[in-house]
């Protein structure tokens, strides 16, 4: 959902300038959307008697902890991130710089950029021009490879059919796919009939659709929510380092009235202040909050692409309060002070997503709902940033705010796909060459231009074949009638540094893990083999390499057995072998036939994943919340 002049969040305290009329600095940026410094209103507690004063001109060096409560909740790694002399030189309340003396081997220091000047602006423009050409060559090579692979497979299939040698391999859900297409056609005709005859048939539907007709295929989660009788309101959330995130709230319009725009704007950079929205107690029957986090190069719209079989809509109609979190930049990059042309706006990777984005989103959901904890569901990168954030050397206190972490296709260990030639190329080139190819700003932003310019059906088809070529998955278990819609929510803006973390030569693709080096992983495997052979007591032979401490919430895993991108079985083995004594594994399932995206988009994903997620959320819910909340539909009290 893009921000426009008519967006319900037009009252944001952090004003977003559009076009060339509003500028903060003298130099014009290279993108259309810019952000200027505005005023950030500090909201008082609900029982506060006096209106809090406005703090205007919030500068970046003032975004550190300012109150005792926030200081107590801030982890050491957060202070280090906010104290890095990387994108900015952060200062504490006394005006002194906070030093960052500790680095994690999986999170090497990010490049440091100073404030823009004429010389640096010219340098950055040259880098952008060079990287535009080189990244376009890389992207073109991938697209050509995808076309050749698709054409070759089609020619081979035709040749086999002509020769009578084609194996009979029908689609897994062929009949179900046809049935759903028939139902969509019927729903479209009913919608047209209602509009033409003005017939009120809403009483026949518990959640009557608010939109209908032929799907225009748009990048708008609210539109697809209205097609199934729900709706979405947009909140804006500020991180501790000044990024503005988009948070979507999925709701039933028969039970909830959207908040006014002023109540949905950023509330400042501080998290977990103990405050609660005054609206939380005024709402109808309480529902337990669930936050969903998306994967790499996606937005949270990936949870909303399958009509009623979308995980977000399924959980909402089951009786949960569903929130969809989007990481920094996403569809429209926003920051309180920085231009998109400033490389400091892009000097971040998955560590910042986990340690800064995720707490900001969790904090806002808890503020709006009035609960002390929530259920967290992540897919792919959404699981990786959560596993990173909860590590005992990152931001472990976040675990105290999460009742259960449901990880779908958990991205902790690398799968065999990272050895493909194009990924190896990105891994073997040194950092300077990587930045020459992909820049120091957004990763191949031309992809977003293609997204905006191409017809959605052409783009959806192209997106599928390109991603299929890169990651080796297929649509064998998806509803092909919705496939073009699925790819409208990808790709999004991510930093080149994030892609270097995933695919470069220092981090995930090289170490094959998000929190351990390859040497440590190999040593653990050797210890496990000795224990398996019975060469002594496992407690003695195993070294203490645990990533998590006592603040870790319970974990549930849904692992795609045919996933070549990540290896969920290795994570399951780690948890079951006793490597993580503080982790309570409440549910684990390996779906042998599933690929990486099938946990979201397979036609039986609700049966295989959604119903179990619904049950796990209920079983791990705090007892106090369970007594306050409506019991979700379809859950049972005992297994």
């Amino acid at each position: 959902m893009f921000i426009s002049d008519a967006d319900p969040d037009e009252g944001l305290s952090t004003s977003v300038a559009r076009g060339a009329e509003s500028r903060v600095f003298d130099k014009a940026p290279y993108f259309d959307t810019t952000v200027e410094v505005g005023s950030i209103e500090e909201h008082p507690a609900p029982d506060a008697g006096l209106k809090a004063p406005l703090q205007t001109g919030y500068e970046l060096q003032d975004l550190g902890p300012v109150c005792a409560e926030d200081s107590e909740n801030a982890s050491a790694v957060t202070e280090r991130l906010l104290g890095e002399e990387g994108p900015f030189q952060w200062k504490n309340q006394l005006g002194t710089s906070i030093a960052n003396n500790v680095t994690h081997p999986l999170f090497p220091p990010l490049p440091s950029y100073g404030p823009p000047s004429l010389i640096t602006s010219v340098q950055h423009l040259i880098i952008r021009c060079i990287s535009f050409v080189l990244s376009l060559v890389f992207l073109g090579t991938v697209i050509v490879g995808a076309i050749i692979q698709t054409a070759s497979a089609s020619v081979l299939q035709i040749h086999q059919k002509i020769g009578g040698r084609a194996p009979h391999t029908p689609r897994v859900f062929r009949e179900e796919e046809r049935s759903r297409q028939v139902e969509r056609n019927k729903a479209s005709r009913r919608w047209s009939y209602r509009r033409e005859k003005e017939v009120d048939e809403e009483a026949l539907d518990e959640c009557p659709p608010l939109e209908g007709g032929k799907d225009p295929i748009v990048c708008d989660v609210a539109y697809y929510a209205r097609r199934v009788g729900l709706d979405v309101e947009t909140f804006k959330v500020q991180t501790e380092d000044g990024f503005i995130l988009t948070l979507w709230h999925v709701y039933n319009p028969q039970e909830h009235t959207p908040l006014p725009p002023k109540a949905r704007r950023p509330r400042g950079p501080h998290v977990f202040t103990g405050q609660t929205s005054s609206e939380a107690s005024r709402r109808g029957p309480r529902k337990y909050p669930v936050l969903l986090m998306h994967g790499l190069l996606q937005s949270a719209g990936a949870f909303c692409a399958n009509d009623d079989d979308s995980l977000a809509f399924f959980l909402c109609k089951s009786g949960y309060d569903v929130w969809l979190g989007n990481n920094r930049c996403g569809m429209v990059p926003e920051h309180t002070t920085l231009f998109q042309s400033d490389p400091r706006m892009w000097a971040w990777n998955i560590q910042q997503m986990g340690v800064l984005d995720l707490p900001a989103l969790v904090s806002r959901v808890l503020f709006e709902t009035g609960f002390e904890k929530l259920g967290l569901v992540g897919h792919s990168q959404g699981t990786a940033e959560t596993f990173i954030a909860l590590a005992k050397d990152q931001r472990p206190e976040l675990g105290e705010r999460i009742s259960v972490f449901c990880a779908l296709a958990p991205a902790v260990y690398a799968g065999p796909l990272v050895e493909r030639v194009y990924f190896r190329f990105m891994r073997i080139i040194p950092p300077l060459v990587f930045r020459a190819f992909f820049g120091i700003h957004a990763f191949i932003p031309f992809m977003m231009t293609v997204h905006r310019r191409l017809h959605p059906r052409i783009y959806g088809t192209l997106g599928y074949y390109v991603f299929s070529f890169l990651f080796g998955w297929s649509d064998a278990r998806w509803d092909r009638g919705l496939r073009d819609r699925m790819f409208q929510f990808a790709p999004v803006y991510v930093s080149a540094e994030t892609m270097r973390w995933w695919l470069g030569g220092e981090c995930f693709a090289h170490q094959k893990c998000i929190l351990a080096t390859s040497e440590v992983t190999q040593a653990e495997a050797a210890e496990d083999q000795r224990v398996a052979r019975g060469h002594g007591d496992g407690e003695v032979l195993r070294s203490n390499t645990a990533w998590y401490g006592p603040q870790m919430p319970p974990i549930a895993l849904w692992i795609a057995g045919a996933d070549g991108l990540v290896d969920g079985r290795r994570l399951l083995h780690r948890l079951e072998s006793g490597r993580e004594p503080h982790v309570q594994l409440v549910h684990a399932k390996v779906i042998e036939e599933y690929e990486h995206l099938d946990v979201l988009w397979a036609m039986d994903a609700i049966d295989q994943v959604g119903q179990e997620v619904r049950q796990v959320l209920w079983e791990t819910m705090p007892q106090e919340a369970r007594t306050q909340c409506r019991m979700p539909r379809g859950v049972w009290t005992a297994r």
Side-chain angles (χ1 to χ4, degrees):
M1 181 182 293
F2 293 96
I3 300 175
S4 66
D5 292 335
D7 191 89
D9 294 305
E10 61 185 356
L12 298 181
S13 59
T14 304
S15 55
V16 181
R18 299 171 181 83
E21 292 81 6
S22 269
R23 298 296 185 220
V24 184
F25 306 115
D26 294 333
K27 301 183 205 39
Y30 306 110
F31 293 81
D32 293 333
T33 305
T34 59
V35 183
E36 64 180 5
V37 180
S39 61
I40 296 178
E41 181 178 351
E42 293 297 311
H43 294 255
D47 56 350
L50 299 176
K51 183 178 180 181
L54 295 180
Q55 298 182 2
T56 59
Y58 225 106
E59 295 296 333
L60 289 177
Q61 61 265 28
D62 297 326
L63 295 185
V66 296
C67 65
E69 184 177 6
D70 286 333
S71 299
E72 291 174 2
N73 291 334
S75 66
V77 72
T78 309
E79 294 177 357
R80 293 200 300 271
L81 286 177
L82 299 184
E84 286 182 9
E85 295 187 9
F88 314 100
Q89 181 170 340
W90 297 82
K91 298 180 181 180
N92 58 19
Q93 285 182 273
L94 301 178
T96 58
S97 299
I98 305 173
N100 176 25
N101 298 321
V102 182
T103 58
H104 191 288
L106 268 296
F107 306 108
L110 291 165
S112 176
Y113 305 103
S117 65
L118 178 60
I119 295 177
T120 59
S121 296
V122 172
Q123 292 174 339
H124 297 160
L125 178 59
I126 294 173
I127 293 174
R128 288 165 70 90
C129 292
I130 294 173
S131 63
F132 174 80
V133 174
L134 294 178
S135 63
L136 205 58
V137 171
F138 178 84
L139 180 62
T141 303
V142 170
I143 293 175
V144 170
I147 293 174
I148 293 174
Q149 183 187 68
T150 304
S152 301
S154 300
V155 170
L156 179 60
Q157 187 175 15
I158 293 173
H159 184 266
Q160 288 177 336
K161 285 184 178 180
I162 293 175
R165 292 178 285 110
H168 183 66
T169 54
R171 291 175 59 78
V172 180
F173 299 107
R174 184 177 180 181
E175 294 304 320
E176 175 68 16
E177 195 172 25
R178 289 178 177 175
S179 174
R180 292 189 182 188
Q181 184 60 54
V182 170
E183 288 300 318
R184 284 196 293 269
N185 293 338
K186 289 181 179 179
S188 180
R189 287 194 294 269
R190 285 197 302 268
W191 177 263
S192 300
Y193 181 74
R194 291 179 187 179
R195 300 280 76 77
E196 293 172 4
K197 303 297 183 180
E198 298 183 356
V199 176
D200 183 12
E201 297 180 358
E202 294 188 357
L204 304 177
D205 237 336
E206 185 177 352
C207 291
L210 308 175
E211 297 278 4
K214 185 178 179 180
D215 181 6
I217 310 180
V218 292
C219 183
D220 186 350
V221 293
Y223 171 77
Y224 291 111
R226 291 192 291 271
R227 285 183 71 96
V228 297
L230 305 174
D231 211 336
V232 170
E233 58 181 338
T234 300
F235 289 75
K236 291 295 178 177
V237 180
Q238 182 178 338
T239 67
E240 293 160 283
D241 58 344
F243 283 87
I244 304 299
L245 313 179
T246 298
L247 175 65
W248 292 321
H249 179 215
V250 183
Y251 65 91
N252 186 339
Q254 300 181 59
E255 300 176 345
H256 172 77
T257 301
L259 298 180
K262 183 178 180 181
R264 291 183 272 137
R265 64 188 182 183
R267 301 194 66 260
H270 305 301
V271 298
F272 306 125
T273 59
Q275 299 180 3
T276 301
S277 171
S278 58
E279 298 292 332
S281 58
R282 301 176 188 173
R283 294 172 182 168
R286 301 194 75 185
K287 299 180 179 181
Y288 192 66
V290 180
L291 175 64
L292 278 61
M293 295 301 299
H294 60 83
L296 178 64
L297 291 172
Q298 288 183 319
S299 74
F303 294 105
C304 306
N306 273 16
D307 291 331
D308 276 317
D309 291 295
S310 305
L311 182 60
F313 302 155
F314 169 77
L315 292 177
C316 182
K317 290 189 175 184
S318 294
Y320 288 105
D321 192 7
V322 176
W323 299 75
L324 305 175
N326 292 279
N327 285 124
R328 54 185 61 197
C329 293
M331 291 291 185
V332 180
E334 298 177 75
H335 195 278
T336 53
T337 59
L338 296 179
F339 285 114
Q340 294 183 32
S341 58
D342 192 331
R344 295 178 296 172
M345 187 171 179
W346 304 97
W348 49 268
N349 57 31
I350 196 170
Q351 186 183 27
Q352 283 72 24
M353 291 183 192
V355 175
L356 298 174
D357 290 8
L358 188 58
L361 294 167
V362 171
S363 177
R364 185 59 180 269
V365 172
L366 296 181
F367 171 83
E368 297 295 340
T369 59
F371 286 88
E372 294 183 357
K373 293 186 177 186
L374 55 72
L376 181 62
V377 180
H379 171 250
S380 190
Q381 180 183 262
T383 69
E385 65 185 82
T386 304
F387 279 118
I388 289 171
L390 295 174
K392 59 186 178 182
D393 61 350
Q394 299 296 312
R395 199 161 190 173
E397 69 274 10
L398 178 63
E400 299 175 356
R401 310 287 181 168
I402 300 171
S403 58
V404 66
F405 171 35
C406 298
L408 316 182
V412 174
Y413 291 98
L417 280 178
V418 296
E419 298 302 327
R420 290 197 170 187
V421 61
Y422 36 84
F423 292 144
R424 287 206 307 269
F425 165 76
M426 299 176 77
R427 187 166 70 245
I428 63 175
I429 60 176
L432 288 178
V433 178
F434 189 100
R435 291 177 182 124
F437 259 88
F438 302 107
I440 56 178
H441 298 80
F443 179 76
I444 317 185
F446 184 72
M447 292 189 296
M448 276 57 76
T449 303
V450 173
H451 189 183
R452 289 191 296 268
R453 302 301 182 191
L454 280 184
H455 187 279
R457 292 199 180 277
I458 297 175
Y459 176 79
T461 301
L462 179 64
Y464 165 71
Y465 285 114
V466 168
F467 279 89
S468 177
F469 171 73
L470 286 174
F471 303 116
W473 58 58
S474 72
D475 62 354
R477 308 185 73 84
W478 307 352
D479 186 342
R480 279 186 176 171
L482 301 179
R483 193 181 68 186
D484 293 337
R485 181 195 300 182
M486 296 170 180
F487 284 90
Q488 297 309 306
F489 301 100
V492 297
Y493 287 99
V494 298
S495 68
E497 290 300 322
T498 297
M499 298 305 296
R500 193 173 77 85
W501 187 89
W502 279 111
L503 301 173
E506 301 174 86
C507 304
F508 180 75
H510 173 69
Q511 307 292 354
K512 306 295 190 298
C513 181
I514 63 170
L515 284 169
T517 63
S518 56
E519 293 79 12
V520 171
T521 302
Q522 291 170 6
E524 289 178 345
E527 290 180 351
D528 291 342
Q529 289 177 0
R530 288 197 297 270
V531 172
R533 295 190 191 111
H535 291 175
D537 184 4
E539 300 245 347
V540 177
L541 290 175
R542 283 196 175 102
S543 57
N544 182 11
T545 57
W547 300 337
Y548 303 106
Q551 294 169 299
M552 188 69 179
I555 290 179
L557 302 178
W558 285 264
I559 296 167
D563 192 345
L565 189 59
V566 297
D567 189 348
R569 285 189 176 90
R570 293 181 65 184
L571 174 62
L572 179 60
H573 172 73
R574 179 182 185 85
L575 300 182
E576 291 181 337
S577 66
R579 283 283 175 192
E580 298 293 342
H582 293 290
V583 174
Q584 179 188 3
L585 184 63
V586 296
H587 181 89
K589 181 179 184 179
V590 179
I591 311 172
E592 296 293 344
E593 66 275 16
Y594 266 25
E595 296 176 339
H596 191 68
L597 283 171
D598 289 345
V599 291
L600 296 184
W601 294 345
M603 296 184 69
D604 62 344
I606 294 301
D607 296 331
Q608 294 275 21
V609 179
Q611 293 179 6
E612 295 175 5
V613 170
R614 178 180 62 186
Q615 182 68 26
V616 168
L617 289 168
W618 172 255
E619 291 181 351
T620 54
M621 190 185 303
Q623 186 59 39
E624 181 181 357
R626 191 179 298 185
T627 59
Q628 298 174 359
C629 292
R630 155 197 319 182
M631 185 174 181
R633 180 184 310 162
V635 303
W636 55 94
T637 55
R639 286 187 172 179

